[in-house]
Amino acid sequence: MATIRFKAIQETFGRTAIPVQETIKRSELFGENVFNETAMRQFMTKEAFVSVMNAIEFGEKINRKIANQVAAAMKDWAISKGATHYTHWFQPLTGATAEKHDAFFETIGGGMAMEKFDGSQLVQQEPDASSFPNGGIRNTFEARGYTAWDPTSPAFIYGGTLCIPTVFVSYTGEALDNKAPLLRALQAIDNAATEVAKYFDKNVTKVTATLGWEQEYFLVDKALAYTRPDLLQAGRMLLGHSAAKGQQLDDHYFGSIPNRVVNFMRDLEIECMRLGIPVKTRHNEVAPNQFELAPIFEEASMAVDHNSLLMDVMDKTADRHYFKVLFHEKPFSGINGSGKHNNWSLATNTGINLLGPGSTPMKNLQFLTFFINTIKAVNEYEELIRASVASATNDHRLGANEAPPAIMSVFIGEQLTRVLDELEDVSTGKLSPQEKTDLKLNVVGKIPEILLDNTDRNRTSPFAFTGNKFELRAVGSKANCGKPMTVLNTIVAKQLMEFKKEVDALISKKKLKKDEAIFNVLREYIKSSRRIRFEGDGYSAAWEKEAGRRGLSNNKTTPSALKAMVSKKAISLFEEMKVMSKVEVKARHEIELEEYTMKVQIEGRVLGDIARNHVIPTAIRYQNILIDNVKGLKDVFGTDFKKVASEQLDLIEEISEHIAEINSKVTAMIEERKKANVITSAELKAEAYCEKVKPYFDEIRYHCDKLELLVDDELWTLTKYRELLFIK
């Protein structure tokens, strides 16, 4: 096996950058494989085009006659682009995307055939849903599920197939995907935010949640990755001693991008341009062989679709360049993990960013209204935010190497903290003319139109305000953005509804003027949500103690974090906002617990296999070499051999101790796994894997990593950290 490792290293040394041709400007490539407004105008009838645009902008339904016209236009466009098949492209609760391809081809008798695609095939398909996670919504033998066309997300061509974005629901109507609840949450935030925005501008008729994600990832050479069973099956290194040099010199961050990587990025960006994914930024991240790309922000639903598509495109593009892309949040211990920062804001149909400070007191009061309500929403539902980013893989990242901790808090920076402190002193009830003037001119009016970007001032904050948006940093790099975006938009929508009720009540019952009522309500929100605001070091023991005093949750593991999803408070919220039913919420809870259990189970099996079939045999092989050496020294030096063989004898003993520890720990881990496997409750089973099985991982790893330092490098079968992280 050691020869495989060295052959892979040798193969990597021979790599050269794969040429990438760029012949036209990015702007000319953008969206060429997307059935966007330009393509629709070219291929659709006017009647069909108007109907689709009304569906996108106003949520109007498309009748079957129009659906046939749209399908015909899509087919003609797709075939003109070389497509031969179509698929309903959806996002089941696996975290990945799914598709089943059907050819446009149909026989028509007489030995003849034609290309066919009609409205019924566009609007709905019936994929076999039996093997997708359902959380007990239906029996396994009841395979029926439906995908339904989402006209708000344009169709696109990928790999010669027309991909039609859809939602995925069960036979009984419950959502079985990440998209349906997101669309409902976006409708809720639109309704609630529009009503509040009308306090400031009667022309606002629609508010759109926007999202700009930042995708972090690692790239390692494909040949090297294939020598590591843990990277291939678990997505991370389950063992391996840290390299002497890691990220401590900060020499990788924003450094010169390696040639092979640059060409991969260029190739990826060209693919993204064709698919309408507006990627803009690329750079080295902090850890060796870690990188990031980020797009221009989009409407949240489109951004979620684009990120899901991007990860698939990245996999395929990386393969062409002989790379393996790693999305795991913590593929390598001891260095930074990878996140997917979700930059979220709200935009009106009049072109205003509701989280952007303005040039007048009125605009800044509008900004403060949405700013403070968002903070209040996070304060009320911080456990739900934590649950929305929980996963077996993200547990390794949260609270380590600059990643946010498991304690949810909001960072707003010094400038806005001062503003909120002053607003907290607003008088109750009606304001005197002097108070109104002072508030509008000296407090609200002096908020700078461009706030200092506080992003790098507190990298450990899970939820930070960064000038004109909030950044949810706790999202993991593997995650589907749909889940945290569903939760965030739902809780803010709920909060804005409560705000409007309170303001309207003060206006009608207390006879306060609109501005006075808004100031009064915001004052109370600032006071009641003070506990969630934190400007300091998220890693400190002092903050953990202080957070406990404030009553903030500290759910460090996924099984404990997920409990918030099925609390009475959460279920009531989702049902009231018409985002998810109780059945849908509980199904998701069970699915996520089962996924957690299976991932830990897989890691345990892989770790046991590597420890016993790679590490121990290699250590014994080296130990035998040492034993032969000691025997030879004894033959030469006789009874005095121990003087010259003392180091070898100590090494033989040390290796034996580590081998014994590994073997006993693996056996104990297997026994705990057997006990956990007979538990029928998804919640108790996940807790058993978390508390009883998983702790053995670090113990087994410790002894394996010690052996890596002791055993002859020529014998070691597993590619090492220094090779995976530093061979370009």
Side-chain angles (χ1 to χ4, degrees), residues 133-245:
N134 65 83
I137 285 178
R138 49 159 182 70
N139 295 315
T140 302
F141 62 83
E142 295 171 328
R144 186 173 292 175
Y146 297 108
T147 50
W149 174 39
D150 171 21
T152 65
S153 191
F156 56 92
I157 294 171
Y158 183 45
T161 299
L162 172 66
C163 298
I164 304 160
T166 59
V167 296
F168 181 43
V169 297
S170 71
Y171 177 67
T172 47
E174 291 89 2
L176 293 173
D177 67 348
N178 287 297
K179 191 168 194 182
L182 174 64
L183 293 176
R184 298 169 190 162
L186 294 176
Q187 185 62 56
I189 193 74
D190 178 9
N191 295 341
T194 298
E195 289 303 305
V196 173
K198 284 182 176 179
Y199 282 143
F200 308 96
D201 183 356
K202 297 294 185 183
N203 295 315
V204 174
T205 57
K206 185 175 179 61
V207 172
T208 302
T210 63
L211 168 64
W213 38 261
E214 301 168 24
Q215 181 68 60
E216 294 177 338
Y217 61 98
F218 283 83
L219 276 181
V220 296
D221 189 88
K222 185 164 64 172
L224 298 178
Y226 285 174
T227 67
R228 293 289 312 211
D230 45 0
L231 270 186
L232 293 183
Q233 296 182 71
R236 74 180 181 107
M237 299 267 276
L238 295 172
L239 54 85
H241 200 281
S242 297
K245 178 181 182 294

Side-chain angles (χ1 to χ4, degrees), residues 176-406:
L176 293 173
D177 67 348
N178 287 297
K179 191 168 194 182
L182 174 64
L183 293 176
R184 298 169 190 162
L186 294 176
Q187 185 62 56
I189 193 74
D190 178 9
N191 295 341
T194 298
E195 289 303 305
V196 173
K198 284 182 176 179
Y199 282 143
F200 308 96
D201 183 356
K202 297 294 185 183
N203 295 315
V204 174
T205 57
K206 185 175 179 61
V207 172
T208 302
T210 63
L211 168 64
W213 38 261
E214 301 168 24
Q215 181 68 60
E216 294 177 338
Y217 61 98
F218 283 83
L219 276 181
V220 296
D221 189 88
K222 185 164 64 172
L224 298 178
Y226 285 174
T227 67
R228 293 289 312 211
D230 45 0
L231 270 186
L232 293 183
Q233 296 182 71
R236 74 180 181 107
M237 299 267 276
L238 295 172
L239 54 85
H241 200 281
S242 297
K245 178 181 182 294
Q247 64 188 47
Q248 61 267 50
L249 296 179
D250 295 322
D251 54 347
H252 189 255
Y253 190 50
F254 279 22
S256 176
I257 303 173
N259 288 339
R260 283 183 64 201
V261 176
V262 165
N263 279 20
F264 156 76
M265 290 176 168
R266 290 171 64 197
D267 200 1
L268 172 65
E269 288 166 1
I270 290 169
E271 290 291 329
C272 288
M273 288 298 107
R274 292 191 171 114
L275 291 166
I277 306 173
V279 294
K280 184 175 177 65
T281 303
R282 65 190 188 198
H283 62 83
N284 289 1
E285 255 302 332
V286 175
N289 271 356
Q290 186 187 33
F291 307 94
E292 178 183 299
L293 95 166
I296 297 169
F297 71 90
E298 304 177 274
E299 291 187 15
S301 176
M302 183 75 75
V304 169
D305 280 1
H306 278 163
N307 184 253
S308 297
L309 177 58
L310 171 91
M311 290 193 285
D312 188 55
V313 176
M314 286 180 74
D315 272 329
K316 290 180 170 64
T317 307
D319 192 64
R320 288 201 298 269
H321 290 258
Y322 301 100
F323 282 122
K324 174 72 176 171
V325 60
L326 304 178
F327 291 115
H328 194 289
E329 283 81 358
K330 198 75 171 177
F332 305 102
S333 69
I335 58 176
N336 275 21
S338 296
K340 188 180 317 199
H341 299 178
N342 279 209
N343 294 280
W344 172 87
S345 192
L346 297 169
T348 69
N349 63 297
T350 57
I352 300 298
N353 175 8
L354 293 172
L355 288 174
S359 55
T360 66
M362 181 58 75
K363 287 180 180 177
N364 280 334
L365 181 56
Q366 175 178 265
F367 155 68
L368 285 170
T369 294
F370 286 91
F371 175 73
I372 293 168
N373 271 282
T374 300
I375 295 172
K376 180 73 158 53
V378 175
N379 179 66
E380 294 299 315
Y381 293 97
E382 45 94 9
E383 281 197 280
L384 205 51
I385 291 282
R386 170 66 181 96
S388 77
V389 300
S391 70
T393 53
N394 207 24
D395 278 359
H396 295 286
R397 167 180 166 262
L398 293 179
N401 298 94
E402 295 191 5

Side-chain angles (χ1 to χ4, degrees), residues 147 412 586 612 676:
T147 50
I412 63 173
K586 291 199 166 186
R612 282 184 164 165

Side-chain angles (χ1 to χ4, degrees), residues 198-200 362 503 507 512-519:
K198 284 182 176 179
Y199 282 143
F200 308 96
M362 181 58 75
V503 171
I507 293 171
L512 297 186
K513 291 184 178 179
K514 181 181 67 177
D515 289 1
E516 290 175 325
I518 290 172
F519 278 127

Side-chain angles (χ1 to χ4, degrees), residues 115-133:
E115 268 67 36
K116 183 183 177 185
F117 181 62
D118 60 26
S120 61
Q121 293 163 312
L122 165 66
V123 172
Q124 181 177 302
Q125 278 194 322
E126 188 180 321
D128 184 345
S130 59
S131 294
F132 289 112

Side-chain angles (χ1 to χ4, degrees), residues 68 119 133 180 211 244 279 348 384 426 470 485 490 494 528 622 703:
N68 283 332
L211 168 64
V279 294
T348 69
L384 205 51
V426 171
F470 278 101
M485 283 297 100
T490 301
K494 166 69 172 172
S528 62
Y622 181 56
H703 295 286

